[in-house]
């Protein structure tokens, strides 16, 4: 890379940030969009991504080491597991000899279940084929899912078939058995429980809660600690501070006209169910003029550029530790106009005025990284505005006994007890504290002092290596359970498959410890819930709960609470000491528990677009000052704490802080996750749990190669007409509401190049014709559609070295553009599937007609005809065709030959598994179209109208941003959307007539700030 030119972008003589507008000689009324600093500098590396299909060094043959690593990835990504495990759960099995009346071999069957993460639970619908789960969707009847599923929830199905999962009981690291473990449990003399401690994540299972109550009754001096590396503890503590009682907080994003987020990435990592995106995006769909008035305005205050920040109208960068003072100033600004004329003061004044004007329709929310006082201040502000009870409601939290404590302080106390020899038996349920505990607690050393340490865990992980007993945990799709969402609604967690590696769930291990009458998960869950219903309706209520995926009558009652201002004590702003380091949940590995999931490792981070790594994110200003470049290794140090990690420049990052995602640098994960990235936990302490001051940062002189996809698929903008320069018609288009009101063609007119006539005669498309519309106003860029497409269409993961060569296989590319100056840009996300062009340029260059048009307007691929010339990919202006350079699936088959019973259990049998030398791309989920067509026929209906066909990306999208259907049916949603003024076709001037079009994003900026 020509770093000189890149640094010209980062610098000017006066040290002022330079944006693209300044970098470009040309000025325009249309905002100009850029993907990367290299694009701004127009480096040769960036030109390669634009002009060539792959960069210069994309070699066709891998070296041995790369090949081996790819094999490992494939093994995990395609699910190698025993055929013997391909069974239904024992209690639901019926002998096939007798058959099941409604069972059709080869047909998918769907079951409800539940997925919990970080104290949030969501209902699922799991698709199974012959007893093996293959696809996860959201349960439309569950209030936290509303039919959508997050990327992490969907990718969790891959974990069922992860060959690296814990497979056996270990005693002191050596193979043992469940029988020996049970005997060891029986021999424990726990007395009154004085030396007994439990450690788990946030418990959302009512059945486990009841067992916990039984355990604390049986052992009256025992204690239970809940600890999550990424949790809702600050939110709960903030509610307690503000209201004096434990309540759960429910922001009603759909009811708010003006929203201000205090470091809350509620559209991204901080809200791990689809609900927040569902609610927020409701007001971002514009179907009529009235809808224009509903578009909310979002202000975000944060350090790292989050997905929520990317969707904000206005974003203010600041260190995580400065947000508290901002919240206090905002509270004051509601009464007295703030002084000052800098950017912060203007932002504060404009936001306060806007919030006041919105009153009951305003909403201030605080994120989980912020301390309790910031949450309490947010409650106070909402109450002052009249928003409490309107845009934010509260429900009473489930009560626990005094011997259940949660959070980092509780873990600190526990670790102290362990170090002090007060803990003789520690039972760890489904957690990996040796990796996730703050570094200063030295959890591993404390664990060594516990005589009987037991861990139930899904992996042979860092904690498994340190405990006396490790027992394998069943995947949630293998075990019965239940999960409560934050509004109290409970879903039964149904298993889809018998535990492949003989794992047990937390409730089954607790049943062993308690020596309960019921030992099986099914009995434990069913008996718990049927006991809550009158005897006469028990069976019906149980069956209804399984069918609906929610247990009736479990929603928490609303709580009426009032803020007690006297309880809110704000600390004076601490002076900045050294560098501020912020810790973030990883969008891909969360807290490390998804580290061995190849789908997630290869899903580009929504903002950084990095895969297979985490990095220290620094602002362009800091990179400029310290002469740092992407991939430079830096050492972050404070006292004894030290972390060496690669750094990357993040436009829009707070200037005097750095951030790093958790969940990487695992030393004992599986073949996919071990040794990937850098363990931020090494410098995370209990007193600097989310952000920590006083660090110094210095380059080590070493380099780390980063696989960043932000320039992959960069599209060329040819100069078709003399005098009109490229980059004048953005691929992604936006307008403000005001611009749109004044001129409904504001989006359409951004295409400045006149349409050209095709040399081919235009065809009339009659009958059923498929098309898609993607609403950029609603899309948040969450990646859920990328993973949905991967799961549905058997899309392989390829590994870091192949991504570096531009060979990732995702059928949906999530392009992220920045707009504005490098130090403080806005961002826009744009999903790019195959455009299914009517005048498809890929088709007329294929020498073997492997890609041709169907009568219904689909750009089909005949895989067995493709000879791999790749002419089609070279001729695709959208760069959405992906070539199988290597035998992603054959390598998997090689493993099958070694272990013949292993099989590709995660595959969707309705979709061909592509081999080496084949071009592939989005098909509009043609298998779903065919399934609907067949169902129409078998149902005896005469005409297939196309109604009810839903693509995988559309089905899972939490923002309902994707519409699909028959564009010739004037009543279909997609046809109506395509008639909207803001509908546009990307690169329309090429006359390829894409069937996938976009609805331009409408923004609602505050005129006071937009002008400043
Ligand atoms: S279109 Fe894709 S990225 Fe956008 S909100 Fe929907 S699922 Fe998320």
């Amino acid at each position: 890379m020509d770093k000189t030119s890149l640094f010209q972008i980062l610098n000017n003589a006066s040290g002022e940030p330079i944006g693209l507008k300044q970098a470009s000689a040309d000025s325009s009324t249309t905002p100009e969009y850029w993907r990367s600093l290299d694009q701004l500098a127009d480096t040769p590396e960036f030109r390669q991504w634009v002009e060539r299909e792959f960069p210069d060094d994309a070699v066709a043959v891998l070296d041995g080491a790369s090949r081996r690593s790819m094999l490992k990835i494939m093994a995990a990504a395609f699910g190698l597991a025993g055929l013997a495990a391909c069974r239904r759960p024992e209690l639901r099995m019926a002998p096939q000899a007798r058959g099941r009346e409604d069972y059709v071999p080869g047909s998918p069957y769907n079951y409800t279940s539940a997925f919990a993460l970080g104290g949030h639970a969501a209902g699922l619908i799991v698709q199974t084929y012959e007893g093996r789960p293959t696809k996860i969707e959201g349960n439309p009847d569950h209030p936290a899912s509303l039919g959508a599923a997050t990327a992490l929830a969907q990718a969790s199905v891959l974990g069922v078939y992860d060959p690296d999962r814990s497979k056996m009981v270990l005693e002191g690291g050596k193979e043992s058995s469940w029988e020996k473990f049970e005997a060891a449990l029986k021999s424990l003399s726990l007395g009154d429980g004085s030396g007994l401690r439990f450690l788990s994540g946030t418990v959302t299972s009512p059945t486990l809660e009841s067992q916990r109550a039984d355990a604390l009754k049986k052992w009256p001096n025992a204690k239970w600690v809940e600890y999550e590396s990424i949790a809702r503890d600050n939110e709960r503590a903030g509610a307690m501070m503000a209201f004096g009682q434990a309540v759960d907080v429910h922001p009603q994003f759909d009811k708010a006209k003006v929203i201000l987020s205090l470091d809350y990435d509620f559209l991204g990592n901080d809200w791990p169910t689809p609900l927040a995106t569902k609610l927020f995006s409701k007001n971002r769909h514009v179907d009529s003029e009235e809808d224009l008035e509903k578009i909310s305005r979002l202000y975000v205050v944060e350090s790292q550029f989050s997905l929520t920040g990317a969707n904000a109208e206005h974003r203010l960068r600041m260190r995580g530790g400065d947000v508290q003072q901002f919240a206090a100033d905002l509270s004051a600004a509601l009464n007295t106009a703030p002084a000052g004329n800098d950017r912060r003061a203007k932002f504060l004044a404009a936001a306060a005025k806007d919030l006041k004007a919105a009153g009951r329709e305003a909403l201030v929310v605080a994120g989980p990284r912020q301390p309790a006082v910031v949450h309490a201040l947010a409650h106070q502000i909402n109450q002052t505005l009249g928003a409490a009870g309107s845009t934010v409601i509260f429900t009473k939290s489930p009560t626990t006994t005094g011997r259940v404590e949660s959070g980092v302080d509780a873990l600190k106390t526990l670790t102290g007890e362990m170090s002090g020899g007060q803990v003789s038996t520690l039972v760890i349920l489904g957690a990996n504290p040796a990796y996730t505990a703050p570094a200063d607690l030295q959890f591993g050393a404390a664990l060594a002092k516990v005589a009987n340490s037991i861990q139930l865990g899904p992996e042979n992980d860092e904690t498994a290596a340190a405990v006396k007993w490790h027992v394998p945990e069943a995947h949630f799709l293998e075990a019965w359970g239940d999960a409560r969402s934050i509004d109290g609604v409970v879903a039964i967690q149904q298993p889809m498959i018998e535990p492949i590696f003989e794992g047990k769930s937390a409730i089954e291990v607790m049943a062993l410890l308690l020596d309960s009458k019921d030992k099986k998960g099914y009995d434990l869950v069913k008996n718990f819930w049927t006991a809550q219903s009158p005897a006469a309706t028990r069976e019906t209520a149980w069956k209804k709960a399984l069918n609906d995926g929610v247990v009736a009558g479990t929603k928490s009652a609303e709580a009426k609470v009032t803020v007690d201002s006297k309880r809110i004590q704000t600390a004076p702003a601490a002076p900045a000491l050294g560098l501020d380091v912020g810790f973030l949940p990883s969008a891909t590995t969360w807290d490390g528990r998804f580290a061995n999931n190849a789908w997630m490792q290869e899903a580009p981070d929504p903002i950084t677009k990095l895969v297979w790594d985490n990095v220290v994110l620094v602002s362009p200003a800091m990179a400029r000052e310290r002469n740092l470049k992407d991939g430079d290794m830096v050492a972050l140090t404070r006292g004894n704490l030290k972390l060496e990690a690669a750094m990357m420049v993040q436009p829009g990052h707070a200037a005097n802080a750095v951030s790093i995602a958790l969940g990487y640098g695992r030393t004992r994960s599986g073949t996919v996750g071990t040794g990937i990235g850098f363990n931020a936990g090494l410098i995370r302490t209990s007193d600097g749990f989310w952000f920590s001051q006083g660090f110094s940062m210095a380059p080590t002189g070493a380099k780390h190669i980063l696989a960043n996809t932000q320039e992959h698929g960069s599209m060329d903008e040819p100069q078709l007409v003399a005098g009109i320069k490229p980059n004048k018609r953005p691929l992604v288009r936006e307008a403000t509401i005001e611009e749109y009101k004044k001129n409904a063609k504001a989006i359409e007119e951004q295409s400045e190049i006149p349409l050209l006539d095709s040399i081919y005669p235009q065809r009339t498309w009659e009958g059923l014709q498929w098309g898609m519309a993607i609403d950029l106003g609603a899309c948040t860029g969450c990646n859920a559609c990328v993973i949905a497409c991967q799961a549905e269409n058997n899309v392989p993961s390829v590994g870091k070295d192949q991504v570096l060569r531009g060979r990732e296989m995702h059928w949906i590319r999530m392009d992220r553009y920045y707009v504005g100056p490098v130090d403080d840009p806005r961002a826009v996300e744009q999903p790019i599937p195959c455009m299914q062009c009517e005048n498809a340029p890929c088709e007329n260059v294929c020498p073997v007609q492997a890609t041709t048009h169907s009568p219904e307007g689909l750009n089909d691929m005949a895989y067995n005809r493709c000879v791999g010339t790749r002419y089609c990919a070279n001729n695709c202006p959208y760069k959405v065709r992906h070539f199988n350079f290597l035998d992603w699936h054959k390598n998997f088959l090689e493993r099958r030959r070694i272990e013949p019973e292993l099989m590709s259990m995660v595959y969707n049998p309705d979709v061909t598994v592509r081999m080496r030398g084949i071009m592939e791309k989005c098909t509009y989920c043609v298998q779903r179209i065919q399934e609907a067509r067949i169902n129409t026929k078998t149902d005896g209906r005469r005409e297939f109208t196309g109604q009810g066909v839903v693509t995988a990306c559309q089905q899972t999208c939490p923002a309902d941003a994707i519409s699909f259907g028959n564009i010739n049916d004037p009543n279909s949603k997609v046809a109506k959307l395509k008639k909207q003024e803001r509908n546009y076709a990307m690169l329309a001037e090429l006359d390829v007539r894409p069937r996938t079009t976009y609805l331009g994003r409408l923004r609602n900026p505050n005129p006071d700030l937009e002008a400043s």
Side-chain angles (χ1 to χ4, degrees):
M1 178 191 298
D2 176 2
K3 292 296 176 193
T4 310
S5 58
L6 188 146
F7 270 79
Q8 282 165 355
I9 290 299
L10 291 173
N11 277 306
N12 68 12
S14 64
E16 289 299 309
I18 298 179
L20 181 65
K21 285 199 176 199
Q22 290 159 279
S24 165
D26 188 30
S27 67
S28 164
T29 53
T30 304
E32 292 175 345
Y33 297 85
W34 47 280
R35 288 174 177 236
S36 64
L37 297 174
D38 277 348
Q39 182 179 6
L40 278 178
D42 201 24
T43 61
E45 285 75 13
F46 174 72
R47 292 312 312 166
Q48 278 200 46
W49 283 111
V50 174
E51 288 157 10
R52 294 174 58 104
E53 190 183 357
F54 300 103
D56 270 345
D57 57 352
V59 290
V61 182
L62 287 172
D63 59 33
S66 301
R67 190 176 165 81
R68 272 195 302 281
S69 73
M70 191 269 292
L71 274 166
K72 287 193 293 183
I73 292 154
M74 299 309 295
F78 294 123
L80 310 181
L83 179 63
C86 185
R87 289 176 281 141
R88 293 179 183 287
E90 198 179 311
L91 290 159
R92 296 185 60 81
M93 276 180 78
Q96 284 294 300
R98 281 169 43 208
R100 225 179 78 187
E101 199 181 338
D102 60 346
Y103 178 69
V104 181
S107 289
Y109 286 83
N110 297 325
Y111 299 91
T112 59
S113 196
F115 171 73
L117 189 64
H120 285 257
L124 307 176
I125 302 281
V126 186
Q127 186 175 61
T128 65
Y129 281 92
E130 274 78 49
R132 61 189 173 87
T134 56
K135 181 84 174 67
I136 283 176
E137 308 287 0
N139 180 354
D141 295 329
H142 192 281
S145 309
L146 300 173
T150 60
L152 287 169
Q154 293 181 75
S156 63
V157 73
L158 189 62
V160 178
Y161 311 111
D162 183 351
D164 296 331
R165 277 169 59 196
S166 171
K167 299 186 180 74
M168 62 187 75
V169 175
L170 301 174
E171 182 184 3
K174 301 224 167 51
E175 185 174 345
S176 184
S177 66
W178 278 103
E179 290 72 29
K180 287 184 185 161
F181 172 67
E182 285 178 38
L185 277 188
K186 285 206 172 87
S187 69
L188 287 175
S189 54
L190 297 171
D192 63 358
S194 294
L196 174 62
R197 299 291 180 268
F198 295 89
L199 175 59
S200 69
T202 305
V203 175
T204 55
S205 160
T207 305
L208 183 56
E209 275 174 4
S210 86
Q211 290 178 312
R212 172 164 71 186
D214 291 346
L216 295 179
K217 198 166 159 197
K218 183 170 179 179
W219 297 293
N221 286 326
K223 288 184 194 163
W224 189 297
V225 171
E226 292 180 359
Y227 169 75
E228 296 262 3
S229 174
I230 299 162
R232 298 171 51 222
D233 299 316
N234 286 343
E235 176 196 316
R236 290 191 169 132
M240 182 61 86
M241 182 188 278
F243 306 118
Q245 58 177 292
V247 290
D248 285 314
V249 184
H250 307 277
Q252 307 293 293
F253 295 106
D254 56 331
K255 298 204 169 72
K257 284 281 295 170
V258 179
I259 303 166
L260 188 140
S261 155
L262 298 164
D263 192 17
Y264 195 2
D265 185 14
F266 60 85
L267 298 175
N269 299 330
D270 291 342
W271 194 305
T273 76
L275 180 62
T277 305
K278 272 269 173 196
L279 297 179
F280 177 78
S281 63
K282 260 194 194 175
N283 292 338
R284 299 263 160 167
H285 293 275
V286 176
D287 297 329
S288 63
E289 264 188 43
E290 295 80 69
D291 289 346
L292 286 173
E293 307 306 322
K294 289 194 316 194
I295 297 181
S296 57
R297 180 174 295 150
L298 174 62
Y299 298 84
V300 172
V301 175
E302 63 183 7
S303 177
Q304 153 59 2
F305 207 137
S306 73
L307 208 48
T308 305
N311 284 279
E313 267 73 23
H314 301 287
R315 180 176 174 274
L316 185 66
R317 305 175 294 144
M318 66 176 66
R319 296 180 317 150
D322 291 342
V323 173
Q324 182 180 155
Q325 189 57 48
F326 181 89
D329 291 349
L330 179 65
S331 181
L334 296 180
N335 300 317
T336 319
N341 203 28
D342 60 3
R343 184 158 153 62
R344 182 186 186 276
K346 282 185 190 163
F347 185 100
L348 182 65
K353 190 174 151 201
D354 219 2
L355 288 165
K356 264 172 84 174
R360 280 173 56 78
E361 292 181 307
L363 173 64
V364 177
V365 286
R369 283 176 296 283
Q370 289 300 318
V373 67
V374 177
H375 291 260
L377 283 166
H379 294 312
Q380 189 178 50
I381 294 167
N382 284 330
Q383 185 166 294
T384 307
L385 293 166
S390 164
T391 58
V392 56
I393 56 172
F394 307 93
T395 53
K396 218 164 180 337
S397 298
T399 48
T400 50
T401 78
R403 283 184 287 134
V404 178
E405 292 185 351
S406 64
V408 67
D409 290 340
L411 184 69
K412 195 172 182 177
T413 307
L414 171 65
T415 317
E417 289 178 337
M418 289 158 62
S419 302
Q422 292 154 260
V423 181
S424 54
T425 302
L426 177 68
V427 181
I428 303 169
L429 296 170
N432 182 13
Y435 170 74
T436 60
D440 60 315
L441 300 191
Q442 308 228 342
F443 190 89
L447 193 56
K449 301 218 169 123
V450 178
N452 300 306
S453 51
I454 300 162
Q455 185 217 19
L456 170 75
E459 291 181 307
N460 188 346
D461 55 22
E462 292 84 348
T463 305
V467 289
K468 183 173 177 190
W469 285 98
H470 164 80
V471 290
E473 184 178 18
H475 190 279
F476 78 94
L477 294 176
E478 298 175 326
W480 284 93
D482 46 11
R484 184 198 291 113
S485 56
I486 57 168
D487 65 354
V489 172
V490 175
I492 303 295
Q493 173 195 307
Q494 287 195 80
M496 309 294 139
I497 188 167
E498 188 75 358
I500 292 173
F501 300 123
E502 298 185 359
K504 289 193 191 297
S505 62
I507 57 172
E508 287 172 329
V509 169
M510 281 301 290
L512 289 177
L513 190 64
L514 288 163
D515 198 18
S516 308
K517 182 163 73 61
D518 296 324
K519 299 277 194 314
K520 288 195 173 291
Y522 175 76
D523 298 325
L524 291 162
V525 177
K526 186 179 178 190
N527 291 345
F528 175 82
W529 284 105
T530 49
Q532 324 283 322
S533 307
T537 57
R538 274 177 188 171
E539 272 306 310
T540 336
W542 171 248
K543 283 185 180 152
K544 185 166 166 41
L546 295 183
N547 179 71
D548 298 352
V550 290
V551 181
T554 47
K555 192 170 191 314
S556 307
E558 216 176 296
K560 296 274 174 242
V561 285
T562 311
V563 175
D564 179 356
S565 300
K566 291 194 289 300
R567 297 173 60 93
I568 306 173
Q569 304 292 335
T570 51
L577 293 170
L579 193 65
D580 188 292
V581 179
F583 303 98
L584 306 164
S586 163
T588 48
T589 68
W590 187 245
D591 60 356
R593 73 185 73 180
F594 288 90
N596 211 49
N597 190 307
W599 288 356
M600 290 314 302
Q601 285 279 10
E602 202 155 300
D605 178 277
I607 298 294
T608 65
K609 297 293 158 191
L610 195 64
V611 298
W612 294 98
D613 252 316
N614 65 335
V615 282
V616 177
L617 296 163
V618 309
S619 67
M622 190 178 290
R624 196 160 56 215
E625 280 160 21
R626 299 173 184 234
N627 197 22
L628 294 170
K629 301 173 186 66
D630 285 0
D632 282 354
M633 290 292 291
V634 291
L636 286 167
T637 42
R638 192 187 73 187
N640 295 333
L641 302 171
K642 182 171 181 186
L643 170 68
E644 289 191 6
M647 62 72 62
M648 197 180 113
V649 180
Q650 173 61 60
H653 198 285
N656 46 359
V658 300
S659 303
I660 183 165
L662 301 164
Y664 283 85
R666 297 281 309 275
T667 53
R668 286 176 70 97
S669 180
T671 47
V672 171
T674 302
I676 298 290
F678 308 95
N679 182 6
L682 295 177
I683 54 168
R684 192 189 195 197
T685 55
S686 51
D687 62 348
F689 198 58
W690 286 114
F691 34 85
S692 189
Q693 286 197 2
F695 278 89
S696 63
M697 182 171 78
T700 66
K703 281 274 187 191
H704 183 79
I705 295 174
L706 299 175
N708 195 313
T709 62
Q710 64 185 353
E711 289 165 357
H712 296 196
S714 292
M715 285 172 268
D716 207 356
E717 295 163 348
Q719 187 166 349
L720 298 179
V721 178
I724 298 183
K725 288 187 176 178
N727 204 18
K728 296 289 290 181
R729 45 192 172 76
L731 304 167
V732 58
R733 297 187 194 174
E734 306 172 282
T736 65
I737 297 178
E738 292 311 314
E739 286 166 348
Y740 193 66
K741 276 184 188 165
K742 271 191 220 137
N743 174 17
K745 296 198 177 302
I747 300 276
E748 191 186 321
E749 288 174 358
Q750 288 176 26
S751 181
E752 296 183 5
I753 297 178
L755 295 178
L756 304 176
D757 283 334
S758 172
I759 58 168
Y760 296 106
Q762 290 308 306
R763 184 176 157 182
T764 312
W765 300 93
E766 289 171 344
L768 198 53
Q769 293 299 324
W770 301 107
M772 182 177 275
I774 301 177
D775 190 342
L776 298 181
C779 171
T780 61
C782 71
N783 262 354
C785 54
V786 176
I787 299 296
C789 174
Q790 182 156 28
E792 171 76 16
N793 294 300
N794 303 331
V795 174
S797 304
V798 301
K800 180 176 175 179
D801 49 0
Q802 292 297 302
V803 174
L804 283 165
R805 291 160 164 84
R807 294 175 180 173
E808 62 270 26
M809 300 298 292
H810 290 139
W811 286 6
I812 299 177
R813 188 178 72 237
M814 190 63 60
D815 286 351
R816 183 268 299 116
Y817 294 93
Y818 293 117
V819 54
V822 289
D823 279 301
D824 200 9
R826 292 192 292 108
V828 199
E829 303 267 353
Q830 185 175 36
I832 312 275
C834 169
M835 298 286 149
Q836 310 280 345
C837 308
E838 288 179 0
N839 292 342
C842 51
E843 291 172 5
N844 48 23
V845 294
C846 178
V848 293
Q849 292 195 322
T851 183
T852 52
H853 234 70
S854 83
E856 294 180 357
L858 295 181
N859 171 230
D860 286 342
M861 269 302 302
Y863 295 126
N864 63 352
R865 194 181 288 174
C866 176
V867 294
T869 61
R870 294 165 33 215
Y871 295 164
C872 57
N874 286 316
N875 223 31
C876 173
Y878 305 102
K879 303 193 177 181
V880 289
R881 289 181 156 259
H882 306 278
F883 187 66
N884 282 274
F885 272 90
L886 293 169
D887 290 345
W888 316 122
H889 298 283
K890 179 169 173 290
N891 286 311
F892 157 62
L893 293 174
E894 279 172 3
R895 288 284 297 263
R896 278 183 76 176
R897 281 200 288 276
I898 298 163
E899 301 171 72
E901 77 275 24
L902 297 183
M903 58 186 299
S904 47
M905 292 166 76
V906 81
Y907 285 147
N908 178 358
D910 286 344
V911 177
T912 310
V913 176
R914 286 81 55 191
M915 296 295 176
R916 181 182 185 181
I918 302 296
M919 189 60 72
E920 59 181 75
K921 50 118 214 156
C922 156
T923 65
Y924 273 172
C925 288
V926 66
Q927 67 282 359
R928 290 187 173 211
I929 297 173
Q930 287 306 102
E931 186 188 8
R933 196 188 306 276
I934 292 164
N935 288 344
T936 305
K937 208 170 167 187
T938 49
D939 289 352
R941 285 175 282 148
R942 300 184 87 171
E943 194 190 355
F944 175 52
T945 61
Q947 279 179 357
V949 178
V950 179
T951 61
C953 54
Q954 175 189 16
Q955 183 166 8
T956 210
C957 174
D960 298 310
I962 300 175
S963 300
F964 175 76
N966 179 10
I967 56 173
N968 273 355
D969 174 0
N971 296 318
S972 71
K973 186 179 175 197
V974 66
K976 286 180 185 165
L977 289 176
K978 280 176 184 281
K979 287 206 182 81
Q980 281 201 20
E981 303 275 17
R982 64 191 177 107
N983 180 65
Y984 74 95
M986 190 198 284
L987 297 177
E989 62 278 12
L990 299 178
D991 202 29
V992 293
R993 306 201 172 197
R995 279 285 172 87
T996 298
T997 54
Y998 294 90
L999 296 168
R1001 185 193 201 198
L1002 294 180
R1003 298 173 52 246
N1004 182 18
N1006 184 332
D1008 293 351
L1009 285 175
E1010 191 80 339
S1012 64

